[in-house]
Amino acid sequence: MRRVYFDNNATTPVLPEVFEAMRPYFTEHFGNASSIHHHGQETRAAVERARESVAALLGCRASEIVFTSGGTEGDNLAIFGLARAGDHVISSTIEHHAVLNSCKRLESTGCEVTRVPVDGRGLVDPDDVRRALGPNTRLISIMMANNETGVLQPVEEIGKIAAEAEVYFHTDAVQAAGKVPIDVNRIACDLLSISGHKMHAPQGVGALYVRKGTILQPMAYGGSHERSRRAGTENVPGIIALGKAAELAKAALDCGDLAQMAVMRDRIEQQILAEVEATGVNGDDAPRVPNTTNIYFDYIEGEALVIALDLKGLAVSTGAACSSGAIAPSHVLTAMGLPPERARASLRFSLGKQNTADEVKFALSLIPSAVAHLRQLSPVYHTAQSR
Ligand SMILES: Cc1ncc(COP(=O)(O)O)c(C=O)c1O
């Protein structure tokens, strides 16, 4: 059976070049990067080359990159590394659970957290961030690209506000890295997290940019790895893979390769909206990353459509992977003002480098009939039709 994967915001396949780059680090080059003998020196040099590649993708110095186990750890290290009891933190209502739940935990340890809202397009208003500042504000944590809608937040404006107020600014760029250019100095952020498996490197590796001079309280105690910012023997193969993925991502961004992805994404939207009634794109009036679209199909349950499409060979999602199976509608879509039924009727299509125009054609051949079939079974649809 043909299978097409349009759930690249959940995870991406490792690119063959990335796999080839990491492979020798499981076998021939197995040294511990902290060892002083030949084997250690060899892996240390490779880890430092990977650090240079990640730094080049983000526009920072190599020494400002801390390798982590992924986006969740980077977000946690940024937040718990800085915020203390009595501090005030500003975040938003549409963050990934890695930030949302970290902020919840902060509250239980004596921090105050303000969550700024988003408008109907899914955008934070920088003025809301400015208004939320107080004498104890220590950190602003607002994501760069939303994982469910792909909406890009005004991080450069927020960065300016943070700099003027002399408050730390962290941005979760897990869904932005490799999809849009990132320059930490333009954003004026102090911390920025990325994750390997969202950009065609393996699961379980990531990086946190930490601006020079920013002192983080470590989350784990042990050796002085990563300049004492993250103890523990490095995941060398994962780091080599992240370095290679960063190199490929930068090359693709530099030569405008992602325009093709936006064309495929737009084709999905245009054809679905033209062929299927009572549909629309969530966040279509906002700037977005080129690979993501979130579409509502009124009168159906998104989960049912995910299953129906999966049975025909198309993998999509109702939103964040970690919330699938949950009955609650997406916190992102409800924060944008969607009624719960419409939020539950929404599906995310997210493309990756491996996807082709032919796969888009295949997907589009399945969706209208799958939606029509589910609507035939839906009492809500029939009631709406008879009005
Ligand atoms: C925006 C965002 N932040 C953080 C994460 C967590 O990253 P990881 O899976 O590498 O822990 C994800 C993963 O879905 C994400 O989409």
Side-chain angles (χ1 to χ4, degrees):
M1 180 172 149
R2 184 174 189 188
R3 290 215 173 261
V4 168
Y5 182 80
F6 282 178
D7 197 15
N8 290 273
N9 285 11
T11 199
T12 55
V14 173
L15 287 175
E17 302 95 307
V18 171
F19 183 62
E20 286 313 317
M22 80 188 289
R23 190 210 296 262
Y25 292 87
F26 288 106
T27 51
E28 301 120 77
H29 310 312
F30 57 85
N32 183 324
S34 300
S35 299
I36 56 173
H37 48 59
H38 164 79
H39 301 275
Q41 286 176 27
E42 199 174 53
T43 45
R44 167 58 55 204
V47 164
E48 296 315 315
R49 281 196 299 276
R51 203 184 300 279
E52 295 279 353
S53 302
V54 174
L57 180 69
L58 306 181
C60 64
R61 299 185 182 96
S63 57
E64 294 173 311
I65 295 297
V66 177
F67 288 115
T68 64
S69 64
T72 302
E73 186 189 333
D75 289 346
N76 274 260
L77 183 54
I79 293 169
F80 293 106
L82 282 172
R84 298 282 158 279
D87 287 343
H88 173 232
V89 173
I90 301 171
S91 189
S92 83
T93 50
I94 55 149
E95 298 298 312
H96 186 270
H97 284 97
V99 169
L100 277 185
N101 287 337
S102 295
C103 286
K104 224 189 245 176
R105 171 71 188 151
L106 279 184
E107 285 175 313
S108 71
T109 58
C111 282
E112 190 198 339
V113 179
T114 302
R115 294 167 185 84
V116 293
V118 292
D119 63 17
R121 299 167 298 169
L123 283 169
V124 164
D125 179 348
D127 283 335
D128 283 339
V129 176
R130 195 193 307 277
R131 279 190 288 269
L133 288 166
N136 296 329
T137 310
R138 179 157 170 86
L139 172 69
I140 298 171
S141 179
I142 293 184
M143 69 196 327
M144 187 164 177
N146 183 264
N147 42 302
E148 295 190 32
T149 59
V151 169
L152 285 159
Q153 298 303 323
V155 284
E156 289 182 24
E157 280 148 275
I158 298 169
K160 273 198 203 98
I161 293 167
E164 278 164 20
E166 297 186 21
V167 163
Y168 288 107
F169 178 32
H170 164 246
T171 187
D172 173 338
V174 164
Q175 294 291 353
K179 297 172 188 167
V180 288
I182 297 180
D183 180 340
V184 292
N185 292 315
R186 277 188 73 119
I187 300 172
C189 57
D190 303 289
L191 302 130
L192 178 146
S193 17
I194 66 168
S195 172
H197 75 108
K198 311 292 185 174
M199 48 182 284
H200 299 281
Q203 296 158 359
V205 67
L208 178 68
Y209 156 73
V210 184
R211 186 174 291 280
K212 187 170 184 253
T214 307
I215 310 288
L216 292 180
Q217 177 77 19
M219 288 188 23
Y221 291 86
S224 54
H225 310 86
E226 299 295 298
R227 296 170 175 242
S228 299
R229 295 169 295 191
R230 200 266 189 182
T233 301
E234 294 89 346
N235 166 8
V236 174
I239 288 171
I240 304 307
L242 182 60
K244 184 70 188 175
E247 204 181 287
L248 295 172
K250 184 166 183 337
L253 286 165
D254 287 350
C255 69
D257 266 8
L258 277 88
Q260 204 43 41
M261 199 180 268
V263 169
M264 293 201 286
R265 189 269 314 269
D266 293 348
R267 163 120 200 261
I268 294 174
E269 292 181 350
Q270 283 154 11
Q271 203 163 321
I272 290 179
L273 267 55
E275 290 185 11
V276 188
E277 58 166 332
T279 53
V281 177
N282 298 316
D284 59 343
D285 288 334
R288 288 180 293 158
V289 287
N291 82 315
T292 308
T293 181
N294 192 301
I295 301 180
Y296 65 82
F297 298 85
D298 280 345
Y299 314 120
I300 57 163
E301 281 292 329
E303 298 278 325
L305 186 53
V306 168
I307 293 163
L309 292 174
D310 189 44
L311 291 172
K312 292 169 185 273
L314 176 64
V316 294
S317 140
T318 49
C322 38
S323 72
S324 60
I327 301 150
S330 147
H331 69 281
V332 175
L333 300 180
T334 47
M336 288 165 67
L338 268 74
E341 320 80 67
R342 181 164 281 178
R344 280 206 199 89
S346 296
L347 246 59
R348 176 183 74 185
F349 302 78
S350 52
L351 304 173
K353 285 187 178 169
Q354 77 286 5
N355 292 130
T356 63
D358 191 57
E359 289 181 331
V360 169
K361 209 165 137 195
F362 172 74
L364 289 169
S365 74
L366 305 177
I367 295 164
S369 57
V371 175
H373 179 69
L374 287 174
R375 283 184 177 163
Q376 279 315 312
L377 304 173
S378 157
V380 200
Y381 178 67
H382 290 294
T383 312
Q385 291 301 96
S386 59
R387 271 198 203 118

